[in-house]
Amino acid sequence: MNAGSCAHIDGIVEVKLPEVLECEECVKIGAQWVHLRTCQACGVTLCCDSSPNKHASKHAHGSGHPVIASAQPGERWLYCYPDDAFVQY
Ligand SMILES: [Zn+2]
Ligand SMILES: [Zn+2]
Ligand SMILES: [Zn+2]
């Protein structure tokens, strides 16, 4: 995508957008979230690190899926966990 980010982000051709604006793991346990992120490997939408359960981070570390996109309306950025790379698109 952008030069100088990381191989994971560079390999993304089309950014996956959220199918639903909710954290599916928080919905299961009746928890609240702050912001939402969409995994660019599998498309799941989960909550951010400002949320009590940090499901997007747990998913990235547990599954090995490296890159998330913001699922917030109006925000257009990608973040790679292993490379700590942040790219706006
Ligand atoms: Zn990366
Ligand atoms: Zn969550
Ligand atoms: Zn994933």
Side-chain angles (χ1 to χ4, degrees), residues 39-44 59 63 65:
C39 175
Q40 296 300 294
C42 65
V44 68
H59 173 76
S63 66
H65 295 166

Side-chain angles (χ1 to χ4, degrees), residues 9-87:
I9 290 174
D10 288 346
I12 291 173
V13 178
E14 189 174 349
V15 176
K16 286 186 173 66
L17 297 172
E19 291 176 13
V20 288
L21 284 177
E22 58 187 29
C23 172
E24 66 176 51
E25 294 297 324
C26 282
V27 167
K28 282 182 200 165
I29 60 175
Q32 302 284 312
W33 60 85
V34 180
H35 294 127
L36 294 169
R37 311 293 181 233
T38 301
C39 175
Q40 296 300 294
C42 65
V44 68
T45 296
L46 297 166
C47 56
C48 72
D49 279 359
S50 301
S51 308
N53 291 291
K54 304 181 180 176
H55 284 126
S57 282
K58 285 181 187 162
H59 173 76
H61 293 122
S63 66
H65 295 166
V67 181
I68 52 161
S70 176
Q72 297 302 119
E75 289 188 9
R76 293 171 62 87
W77 53 259
L78 298 163
Y79 178 74
C80 175
Y81 285 98
D83 292 309
D84 191 28
F86 177 88
V87 172

